[in-house]
Amino acid sequence: MNIFFSSLSIIFLLNCFKSRAETDEDWWTHGVFYQIYPRSFKDSNNDGDGDLQGIINKLDHFKDAGLTGVWLSPIMKSPQVDAGYDISDYYSIDPMYGSMEDLKNLIEKAHELGIKVILDFVPNHTSNQHEWFKASENGTEEYRDFYVWVDGTPDKPPNNWISVFKNSAWKWSTKREQWYLHQFLEAQPDLNYWNPEVRKALHRILIYYMDLGIDGFRVDAVPYLVEDKLLRDEPRSYDPNAQPNEPDYLIHTYTKDTDDTFDVVYEFREVVDEYTKKNGGSTRILMSEAYAPLDKTMRYYGTSDGSRLGAHFTFNFFFVSLNLNVTTAYDIEALVYKWIDNLPNIYVSNWVIGNHDNRRVSTRCGVENVDGFNMLVNLLPGIGVTYNGEEIGQEDGEVSYEQGKDPAARNKSTFYKESRDFERTPFQWDDTINAGFNEGHETWLPVSGNYHETNLAAQKEANGLSHYKIYREVLKKRQEDPAALGDTNIWSLSEDVLVLKRTLGNSHIVLAFKLGWHNNTIPEEVFIPGIKCNKAIVAITNVGSAYNIGDALNPLQFTLNPHDSIVLDINC
């Protein structure tokens, strides 16, 4: 078989890397974090919107699954122009979700179950309904420079900067007769980090929530925090597919990933580290969201020598771009090594396959492959991140333009391409009305029509395998020593077959995964590189696999059918 010879020839060229858990035993370094999209998770009062009490009512789900912590997308008070990423009061909970007492109750009950709670923190901008902005626009001295204001005339923006959501990043205020910067929507004015009082105000918010018992923060949109003080025009990208009003039309030299932005993130880290040092208890952590070039992404972790620290981890978005139409096993292998090879050894890797801004993995990569991808991201070294619904293989929902809520997709001709509503539809708990999300009130986004077939209750009660049962077993398997502490190798044996091996001494945990994308009807003979014995035991399989748990096979030669993903225990 040619595959054997070509694969063997590359074994000696592969890099082998250590799990970061080997040198850092802190609670978060080998955790699995679950992103809750609160408005779509569980509606406890039947008003159509998910809420904090709904999350409290479902806390046992996280314990049962074996999760380390939950991250809540924004719940602070907001006009909801951009799904809560336009905060009008950092010190209040939006009434849609409940009250501060509800949050305190959630923290207490989660901690009783051993579940950490992470809040979404939005420091780049506020809502234009925030009292800071109102005072700033009115010229109140204390807040006058809390935002980026620039002189000019109403007919000409200060420069050519373009918003992430298209068109000029500047808005004229008739009240103040100046321009203000908004790197996102007009309703989201950018805070001015050149003002030290702004930084202090944001630090106080972090301390307030840590005092409540919050275990850390996911820091939103960090690349945009500090812009060029000279307001220089940004250069053209000459991207032939970008229109003049689109962000890709420019290279964001002066509005994104500036050196001063990293300093702000490092200051946030100093605040949470000092808090832990002063108050004791478990480490409070920062996760940073940075869609940035790889070298910049790594800088958000901190300096390469660790002399200054940033986020405990910066989200690795390599896998959220996987697409069954173009991705091969070779691509996946390359992405894994690209991340690991660029991450300084003092930092911890993380693996993400989806979130609230990207189509669900089951839709992008096929429901038949969701078990394999859940195995992959949770058996790689470091931290795993799960977006709600991935544990049951939930697909994107069906949303019409008229039903859509995403402010970035209000053009009817591009709605189905650009809208983020599809991955935000309600979680599917069971096969009762509205998938058990609530008791029948019209939901803020429609419940997917496939909830009778795909729901958590059915998968928990299934006689045989289900996506959820497999997910739970994978999270148990990742706690075993080879997965928690072992060396790692990953191979693409063909464009369709991927092998991941975690090794500690003579013990190996191996994932063999045939994507079934490029050769989707043909079984393939495969082998596990670097194994000398001829016996392996099947520990976990995907839904629909020809293998059964407990089967013995020869790791030097066995067959995978399209979409097979099996986890093997090998001792030799």
Side-chain angles (χ1 to χ4, degrees), residues 158-182:
N159 59 29
N160 71 343
W161 294 354
I162 297 175
S163 160
V164 172
F165 290 151
K166 299 180 182 179
N167 302 315
S168 175
W170 298 96
K171 173 69 174 176
W172 178 259
S173 166
T174 55
K175 183 175 292 186
R176 183 157 160 162
E177 295 189 328
Q178 282 184 303
W179 293 90
Y180 70 82
L181 178 68
H182 61 90

Side-chain angles (χ1 to χ4, degrees), residues 23 249 262 458:
T23 56
Y249 190 75
F262 296 105

Side-chain angles (χ1 to χ4, degrees), residues 226-447:
V226 189
E227 300 78 24
D228 176 46
K229 204 169 186 178
L230 299 178
L231 304 178
R232 286 171 284 188
D233 278 354
E234 294 191 314
R236 282 275 309 276
S237 69
Y238 295 99
D239 180 344
N241 299 313
Q243 298 301 311
N245 69 331
E246 295 177 341
D248 288 347
Y249 190 75
L250 302 176
I251 299 172
H252 301 291
T253 307
Y254 300 123
T255 59
K256 190 170 179 285
D257 303 310
T258 64
D259 287 341
D260 297 291
T261 291
F262 296 105
D263 288 335
V264 172
V265 176
Y266 299 164
E267 288 177 12
F268 288 155
R269 176 64 179 267
E270 290 168 1
V271 170
V272 298
D273 281 354
E274 180 61 29
Y275 187 92
T276 300
K277 180 179 178 181
K278 178 181 178 181
N279 294 279
S282 299
T283 302
R284 281 73 169 182
I285 68 169
L286 298 177
M287 318 170 175
S288 61
E289 182 212 28
Y291 288 92
L294 187 57
D295 61 327
K296 307 288 189 183
T297 299
M298 296 306 170
R299 285 183 66 187
Y300 286 114
Y301 271 93
T303 57
S304 59
D305 61 359
S307 58
R308 295 201 73 186
L309 298 174
H312 292 74
F313 66 94
T314 297
F315 287 115
N316 171 3
F317 291 130
F318 280 173
F319 287 174
V320 301
S321 62
L322 298 182
N323 185 300
L324 63 85
N325 294 317
V326 296
T327 306
T328 68
Y330 299 123
D331 298 325
I332 296 171
E333 177 198 341
L335 289 175
V336 170
Y337 281 117
K338 184 177 180 181
W339 178 268
I340 292 295
D341 289 345
N342 281 276
L343 182 71
N345 287 335
I346 57 175
Y347 299 125
V348 182
S349 289
N350 71 94
W351 311 95
V352 183
I353 50 173
N355 59 29
H356 63 294
D357 287 331
N358 293 276
R359 293 300 185 94
R360 289 184 175 276
V361 65
S362 289
T363 297
R364 287 184 286 115
C365 301
V367 177
E368 63 275 12
N369 283 328
V370 71
D371 298 327
F373 281 107
N374 278 332
M375 293 172 186
L376 179 64
V377 299
N378 288 300
L379 292 177
L380 281 163
I383 295 159
V385 182
T386 296
Y387 178 54
N388 59 202
E390 286 173 0
E391 75 274 33
I392 62 171
Q394 186 169 330
E395 299 170 84
D396 286 348
E398 307 84 35
V399 184
S400 69
Y401 175 77
E402 290 71 24
Q403 294 168 320
K405 300 294 193 298
D406 185 357
R410 291 294 81 203
N411 184 324
K412 194 167 187 177
S413 65
T414 59
F415 172 76
Y416 291 99
K417 178 182 178 182
E418 297 179 349
S419 177
R420 297 168 295 177
D421 292 315
F422 308 109
E423 58 264 24
R424 299 177 178 183
T425 56
F427 187 85
Q428 294 160 202
W429 293 99
D430 56 42
D431 66 356
T432 63
I433 189 169
N434 284 344
F437 171 71
N438 66 11
E439 296 178 0
H441 191 286
E442 182 180 359
T443 56
W444 80 284
L445 285 175
V447 176

Side-chain angles (χ1 to χ4, degrees), residues 458-531:
Q459 293 191 17
K460 292 178 78 169
E461 296 164 5
N463 290 328
L465 292 176
S466 69
H467 299 307
Y468 178 69
K469 288 182 179 180
I470 292 163
Y471 177 84
R472 187 169 56 186
E473 289 305 309
V474 172
L475 265 56
K476 291 178 183 176
K477 179 62 69 174
R478 73 179 265 116
Q479 299 305 323
E480 296 181 12
D481 285 349
L485 303 171
D487 298 344
T488 306
N489 276 289
I490 189 165
W491 296 270
S492 45
L493 302 186
S494 71
E495 68 177 2
D496 219 31
V497 173
L498 195 71
V499 171
L500 169 68
K501 184 175 70 173
R502 304 298 310 280
T503 299
L504 188 66
N506 292 325
S507 296
H508 314 273
I509 295 173
V510 175
L511 166 63
F513 181 16
K514 180 172 170 62
L515 305 175
W517 294 346
H518 305 279
N519 201 5
N520 59 10
T521 62
I522 302 173
E524 194 163 345
E525 286 194 33
V526 301
F527 74 110
I528 309 302
I531 297 294

Side-chain angles (χ1 to χ4, degrees), residues 83 112 131 195 282 432 563:
E112 288 174 359
E131 291 302 319
N195 181 350
S282 299
T432 63
H563 314 298

